[in-house]
Amino acid sequence: IARPFAMSRFEITFDEYQACVDLGACKKTPDDHEWGMGERPVINISFSETNDYVRYLRARTGKPYRLPTEAEWEYAARAGTDTPFWWGDDAGEEFANCRHCGSEWDGKSSAPVGRVAANPFGLFDMNGNVWEWTSDCWNENYEGAPPDAAPRTDGNCERRVIRSGSWYYIARLMSATSRDSHPAQLWSYNIGIRVVRELP
């Protein structure tokens, strides 16, 4: 990791995103899939719409907010551990919201943020709940990736890397190493956003 960064403790919520909509910086109120808004992670926003939100944060606060790179995301998800999940080798129960993970939302919907334990870095829902957009273009593997955790700008940039797994998917897909991609122009009820802020 070439430079220090801070990461949002929670996935960005509907309430937080709505503030951007209310000020006209974000163009639409995303569909909540009839699950409710409030403290649930915002979903149904495309990659470009996540960047609208990041630009709003930068303008509102004067701070250098942006989407995490894929490498930064994995570093934060691992939180100093070397097991598939920060709590160990097995998914267990009640550590995350995923299919068959033992939470009340398993396989049904996203959960309000912060309903499971935080990882050792104090970050919530890094495994499961909703996939999270990163800034990287999609590549099948890490070969040729920047050595300093910078965003990957080569490969298929019409698809962007998503990390975390979600309420809908099995535990294996929410491990620290699991990765997938999604078309940048499309949205999904499985995908949300978390942001980072560059530090001096």
Side-chain angles (χ1 to χ4, degrees):
I1 306 293
R3 55 188 179 275
F5 67 95
M7 179 174 274
S8 53
R9 294 177 65 208
F10 305 104
E11 293 158 332
I12 300 303
T13 66
F14 270 100
D15 279 350
E16 291 167 326
Y17 195 87
Q18 188 61 43
C20 179
V21 174
D22 291 345
L23 290 172
C26 293
K27 298 176 181 64
K28 74 172 187 183
T29 298
D31 180 13
D32 66 356
H33 211 64
E34 299 184 352
W35 296 335
M37 295 184 174
E39 293 185 350
R40 287 183 187 268
V42 67
I43 53 173
N44 290 315
I45 53 174
S46 67
F47 178 77
S48 65
E49 287 162 345
T50 68
N51 283 289
D52 289 342
Y53 181 76
V54 169
R55 282 190 289 271
Y56 149 79
L57 277 184
R58 286 199 297 258
R60 189 79 172 162
T61 66
K63 305 291 185 182
Y65 285 98
R66 57 177 172 79
L67 288 179
T69 69
E70 183 177 11
E72 289 170 338
W73 190 96
E74 184 167 326
Y75 174 81
R78 287 184 176 280
T81 67
D82 60 5
T83 50
F85 311 102
W86 63 262
W87 58 86
D89 291 318
D90 299 315
E93 291 190 355
E94 300 182 8
F95 286 102
N97 178 22
C98 78
R99 191 174 293 274
H100 309 305
C101 281
S103 82
E104 65 183 274
W105 303 278
D106 288 7
K108 300 173 186 173
S109 72
S110 67
V113 299
R115 297 305 193 267
V116 295
N119 75 12
F121 284 175
L123 305 175
F124 292 82
D125 302 306
M126 293 297 291
N127 306 88
N129 211 22
V130 294
W131 292 95
E132 299 170 12
W133 288 107
T134 73
S135 57
D136 290 45
C137 299
W138 173 249
N139 287 270
E140 292 290 337
N141 54 51
Y142 287 140
E143 185 176 347
D148 60 355
R152 190 105 187 237
T153 57
D154 64 324
N156 183 357
C157 293
E158 293 183 1
R159 300 185 71 90
R160 297 288 171 154
V161 176
I162 55 175
R163 302 295 296 261
S164 174
S166 85
W167 58 271
Y168 182 81
Y169 290 94
I170 60 174
R172 177 174 55 81
L173 297 180
M174 66 164 192
S175 73
T177 59
S178 181
R179 53 197 299 270
D180 205 343
S181 70
H182 194 73
Q185 75 275 18
L186 300 181
W187 52 87
S188 168
Y189 63 5
N190 272 310
I191 306 175
I193 176 179
R194 190 184 298 265
V195 297
V196 302
R197 190 180 81 199
E198 294 177 2
L199 300 175

